[in-house]
């Protein structure tokens, strides 16, 4: 994970500089045996800590699902990869046990995406899903959208998140 994080530093810095549409553009993961780039040993500015703003439980666009998220890293540290757990229920609160999903995050005000492609990697049971590869490159208002399929249901679940 650390190796991957270091490998992502350069593109992240480029993203910060450009602040343009770079949604979901992730550099290919380096093999674990690849040495860290020399630049990674240079002095780095201290990582900024920001508070994961109150993330209200959300209702999906067509009201088929409700969801809430918890973060493995709280406060969130800018530019640090971490995981989320999504708890997913039906509209009446029953856990959704067998869902698949894709995830996309963006800052609407800046028209750019996240520096990573978060993925649901494990169904934890009871309506909980592990989301790996969450990373933010700056504070401010983010929207993270889960496009969820469960059985014949397909719906978008969007969380508005202010990192400040
Ligand atoms: Cu931004």
């Amino acid at each position: 994970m650390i190796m991957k994080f270091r490998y992502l530093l350069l593109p992240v810095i480029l993203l910060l500089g450009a602040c343009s549409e770079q949604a979901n553009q992730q550099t290919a993961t380096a093999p674990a045996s690849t040495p860290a780039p020399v630049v990674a040993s240079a002095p780095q500015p201290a990582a900024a800590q920001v508070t994961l703003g109150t993330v209200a439980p959300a209702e999906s666009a067509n009201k088929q699902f409700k969801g809430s998220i918890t973060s493995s890293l709280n406060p969130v540290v800018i530019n640090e990869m971490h995981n989320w757990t999504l708890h997913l229920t039906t509209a009446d609160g029953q856990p959704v046990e067998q869902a698949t999903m894709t995830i996309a995050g963006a800052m609407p005000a800046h028209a750019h995406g996240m520096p990573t492609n978060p993925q649901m990697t494990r169904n934890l049971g009871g309506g909980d899903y592990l989301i790996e590869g969450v990373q933010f490159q700056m504070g401010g208002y983010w929207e993270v959208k889960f496009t969820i399929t469960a059985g014949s249901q397909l719906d978008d679940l969007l969380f508005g998140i202010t990192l400040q």
Side-chain angles (χ1 to χ4, degrees):
M1 189 62 78
I2 297 300
M3 299 287 291
K4 191 174 180 184
F5 173 59
R6 286 181 176 168
Y7 196 76
L8 285 168
L9 268 180
L10 183 56
V12 165
I13 289 165
L14 292 175
L15 275 172
L16 281 173
C19 209
S20 60
E21 295 219 33
Q22 298 286 339
N24 300 325
Q25 188 173 78
Q26 183 177 13
T27 306
T29 303
S33 59
T34 302
V38 173
V39 67
S41 63
Q44 300 287 327
Q49 277 213 338
V50 297
T51 301
L52 180 64
T54 302
V55 181
E59 186 174 51
S60 61
N62 293 321
K63 304 187 186 306
Q64 304 198 52
F65 305 119
K66 289 180 178 175
S68 58
I69 57 173
T70 54
S71 171
S72 66
L73 188 64
N74 196 359
V76 164
V77 178
I78 293 299
N79 288 330
E80 185 160 329
M81 191 98 72
H82 59 285
N83 299 336
W84 282 359
T85 300
L86 170 71
H87 181 66
L88 185 66
T89 72
T90 57
D92 61 358
Q94 299 304 307
V96 176
E97 301 269 3
Q98 301 295 335
T100 59
M101 63 196 71
T102 58
I103 302 142
M107 291 189 86
H110 298 169
H112 65 70
M114 301 173 81
T116 56
N117 287 317
Q119 304 283 328
M120 190 276 281
T121 56
R122 198 178 312 161
N123 183 340
L124 300 171
D128 287 345
Y129 297 86
L130 179 65
I131 314 300
E132 291 192 271
V134 180
Q135 186 173 323
F136 300 98
Q137 71 269 47
M138 61 190 297
Y141 178 69
W142 288 82
E143 290 183 344
V144 179
K145 184 173 74 175
F146 293 73
T147 299
I148 297 168
T149 302
S152 60
Q153 297 181 304
L154 170 67
D155 210 350
D156 287 337
L157 181 63
L158 188 147
F159 294 93
I161 298 168
T162 300
L163 299 174
Q164 56 190 359

